[in-house]
Amino acid sequence: MPEVRDGEEAPEPVTGYAYTGTEPDGGTLIAATDMSRDSLINGIIRSRYSQTEEDAIKTHQIEVLRDAGITKSADYEAEWKAFSAFRTAAIATVDRWLE
């Protein structure tokens, strides 16, 4: 809500946004080769996970599926859930952008 000064009428509320990206203005740059859905989703995922990290997470998940009793099973499940949640959010974000 904008500030009201003495003698002025209260202004109408306005919608405001807070940006929390790494750029000086709070924005976020996404490395994408083009404006396609896949490229934008990949760009968002790469902002948090390198391709090598993603491959390791997927490999760990395969290991868990093959043998649920491995010692790091709980850790691998947790990293898979975190990655999957971030990926799902990235897809939803891009789909909103491209509506």
Side-chain angles (χ1 to χ4, degrees):
M1 181 72 182
E3 186 177 313
V4 179
R5 296 186 181 142
D6 289 337
E8 292 182 353
E9 220 177 279
E12 290 292 317
V14 296
T15 302
Y17 299 91
Y19 297 92
T20 58
T22 57
E23 294 302 303
D25 67 352
T28 300
L29 294 179
I30 297 171
T33 56
D34 56 44
M35 287 295 293
S36 69
R37 181 177 185 268
D38 288 344
S39 184
L40 291 169
I41 291 168
N42 186 61
I44 293 172
I45 292 171
R46 293 298 150 251
S47 73
R48 181 169 300 172
Y49 297 95
S50 70
Q51 185 64 57
T52 302
E53 291 169 322
E54 179 180 343
D55 292 345
I57 290 167
K58 289 177 178 177
T59 299
H60 294 157
Q61 188 60 26
I62 291 168
E63 290 174 10
V64 169
L65 292 172
R66 291 181 70 192
D67 180 7
I70 61 175
T71 56
K72 291 189 172 185
S73 178
D75 293 339
Y76 292 168
E77 285 290 337
E79 74 180 3
W80 176 254
K81 285 181 181 179
F83 173 78
S84 293
F86 186 74
R87 182 179 172 276
T88 299
I91 291 167
T93 297
V94 170
D95 286 346
R96 277 193 317 272
W97 290 347
L98 297 177
E99 286 180 341

